[in-house]
Amino acid sequence: MGETVTFRVHRYKQGDAAPHQDTFQVETEPRTTVLDALTAIRRTQDPSLTLRHSCFHASCGTCAMKVNGREVLACVTNVRELGTAEVVVEPLENAPLVSDLVVEMAPFFARYNAIDRPLVRESELVPGAQRAPGVERALRYEDCIECGICVSVCPIAGTDPDYLGPAALAAADRVREEPRGRDLPFVLSLADDPHGVWRCHAAFECTEACPSNVDPAGHIMQLRRALIGGRLRRLFAPRAEVGR
Amino acid sequence: MSERAVTPARQAPPRGRRRGVLGWLDVRGRRLGGWAFILNRVTGLGVLFYLYLHLIVLSQLAAGPSSWNALLNWFLNPIFLVLDVVLLAGLLIHGLNGIRLTLVEFGLVVSRQKALLLAFGTVGVIVLLIGALRFLSDVGAK
Ligand code: SF4
Ligand code: FES
């Protein structure tokens, strides 16, 4: 059954004095997602609405935004399940604003790519999962879909523009867990920095908000533990290997 | 075509979509760990403020016993006893959460950090209730 829902959408174009919100009425079905509604607005009401999306199924990470004050993937956020008469849609925080719902992801990717974590995991399956009959080997990608939600929710990224950020630090810890030929001492040196693992103040917002179960805060703490262990080992045995 | 209206947005200025220090106090959308983060900051500043206040009060000792005793009597005012409860709450939040953070930030009990928060929270509430009863029964006795 169709149901009309009010969407209040953040609007901003380069050169505007300040952002504002536009209100749209959208017909929704029980399975309508926020991304469906936004693309419908663009199709039928305002083609100038800018948003970013690709896969429509929580894999590409491009549709991350704030819906009713919380960071989510719009493509898997059901409008009716939000349970509000009005849905407020805003761009991610802690990133430069490009237009409407689109933020600049280049700083995020610059940090993330500096870690250079391989995309395919050594550990094949999610713990507890089983291979389908007849499948001899499965390829498992890293969990992070590079959506930027963890940086948007992070209170430290909110005050320190140089903070490496939860996603990049989680990637660094994945290199520590499975180096896969990467330069581990270099990766650890990036993380072992005042704007790296030591900047985190354990609000755990990233872990709670991450749509892909990466547990960035958990990785940051494990990375700290490894770095502290490495320092202690160096203290007592100066030639000990770093970090492991 | 549906109705379309323009309303002013309460947003940070463009190119500055960074939460900032005031964002630390913005509780909208925050989860349990975020609340602990905010409370830790607020109580940290509160306890620091109290420390300086305490040193100023102690400096009155130099003014001799009579002025010191007068000051102590003044502190028995019910308002100060209620403030003592607030101080105890601040110390408990900052102290207990500090222990949790120390454990978690050294990479220990990371996966249990939320349970630890709830456990310390429960201990804190119990101690606060006992303390509040003690302090406020002094008010009743007055
Ligand atoms: S760690 Fe999670 S929240 Fe952060 S970018 Fe990766 S998938 Fe998104
Ligand atoms: S569109 Fe790809 S994650 Fe939402």
Side-chain angles (χ1 to χ4, degrees):
Chain A
M1 285 285 275
E3 196 177 275
T4 305
V5 175
T6 303
F7 278 76
R8 277 208 288 134
V9 183
H10 177 279
R11 304 304 301 272
Y12 170 78
K13 300 291 181 200
Q14 297 289 323
D16 284 2
H20 66 274
Q21 288 180 340
D22 281 347
T23 307
F24 302 94
Q25 310 293 330
V26 182
E27 274 294 296
T28 61
E29 300 295 329
R31 291 171 63 109
T32 303
T33 64
V34 172
L35 185 56
D36 292 334
L38 292 171
T39 49
I41 290 171
R42 195 165 58 175
R43 214 170 38 245
T44 63
Q45 301 186 47
D46 186 348
S48 74
L49 176 65
T50 322
L51 64 143
R52 195 186 270 140
H53 70 82
S54 181
C55 71
F56 278 90
H57 58 250
S59 290
C60 70
T62 55
C63 69
M65 57 186 75
K66 283 175 81 177
V67 174
N68 286 351
R70 281 211 164 155
E71 284 80 352
V72 292
L73 296 176
C75 66
V76 287
T77 302
N78 183 287
V79 174
R80 301 253 182 113
E81 284 172 12
L82 290 169
T84 51
E86 201 175 67
V87 176
V88 181
V89 189
E90 300 160 289
L92 293 180
E93 307 264 3
N94 301 334
L97 187 56
V98 175
S99 177
D100 294 340
L101 298 170
V102 175
V103 294
E104 178 60 85
M105 294 295 282
F108 171 88
F109 288 123
R111 292 188 181 112
Y112 198 80
N113 293 342
I115 302 295
D116 193 24
R117 184 225 57 216
L119 196 57
V120 178
R121 296 174 65 111
E122 257 168 25
S123 43
E124 208 182 320
L125 292 168
V126 184
Q130 286 176 349
R131 267 196 302 270
V135 175
E136 278 182 12
R137 176 158 165 66
L139 206 63
R140 183 178 165 203
Y141 289 114
E142 287 287 347
D143 292 330
C144 178
I145 56 171
E146 299 162 32
C147 64
I149 282 180
C150 52
V151 174
S152 179
V153 295
C154 174
I156 299 305
T159 51
D160 179 5
D162 297 323
Y163 180 39
L164 210 45
L169 289 170
D173 194 47
R174 284 291 303 137
V175 174
R176 181 191 63 81
E177 287 176 338
E178 297 176 7
R180 290 161 280 178
R182 293 301 189 258
D183 182 354
L184 181 58
F186 170 71
V187 170
L188 290 177
S189 74
L190 289 181
D192 188 4
D193 184 272
H195 298 289
V197 276
W198 311 112
R199 202 79 180 89
C200 171
H201 281 273
F204 278 84
E205 290 280 2
C206 54
T207 288
E208 295 283 334
C210 174
S212 203
N213 292 324
V214 172
D215 185 16
H219 277 293
I220 291 172
M221 298 313 152
Q222 300 305 344
L223 202 45
R224 279 185 178 179
R225 186 179 168 155
L227 286 167
I228 292 169
R231 280 185 191 182
L232 287 177
R233 276 198 297 279
R234 275 201 304 277
L235 202 64
F236 295 109
R239 282 168 193 222
E241 205 189 316
V242 189
R244 288 205 105 184
Chain B
M1 206 65 152
S2 310
E3 179 196 336
R4 180 182 162 208
V6 178
T7 50
R10 284 168 300 165
Q11 289 301 324
R15 284 177 293 156
R17 272 193 77 82
R18 198 160 285 286
R19 290 179 185 268
V21 175
L22 286 181
W24 286 356
L25 303 176
D26 184 357
V27 294
R28 287 172 300 172
R30 290 285 173 216
R31 294 143 173 110
L32 201 57
W35 273 92
F37 172 88
I38 292 163
L39 284 173
N40 220 48
R41 252 127 207 88
V42 172
T43 54
L45 288 173
V47 169
L48 186 69
F49 174 72
Y50 172 76
L51 181 70
Y52 280 103
L53 207 65
H54 188 61
L55 291 176
I56 292 167
V57 168
L58 283 185
S59 70
Q60 291 303 306
L61 274 171
S66 62
S67 91
W68 176 250
N69 287 338
L71 198 65
L72 283 190
N73 273 333
W74 195 53
F75 283 143
L76 285 176
N77 185 305
I79 291 182
F80 285 104
L81 294 174
V82 172
L83 284 178
D84 276 346
V85 176
V86 175
L87 175 66
L88 178 64
L91 289 171
L92 282 169
I93 291 170
H94 203 77
L96 290 172
N97 194 38
I99 296 171
R100 164 185 162 261
L101 288 177
T102 307
L103 291 172
V104 170
E105 295 199 14
F106 275 110
L108 306 166
V109 290
V110 179
S111 59
R112 296 257 179 276
Q113 60 87 20
K114 218 194 258 179
L116 206 60
L117 182 57
L118 292 172
F120 278 165
T122 310
V123 171
V125 168
I126 292 170
V127 176
L128 181 65
L129 283 177
I130 295 169
L133 281 176
R134 285 286 308 270
F135 291 150
L136 300 178
S137 64
D138 284 355
V139 178
K142 276 200 81 191

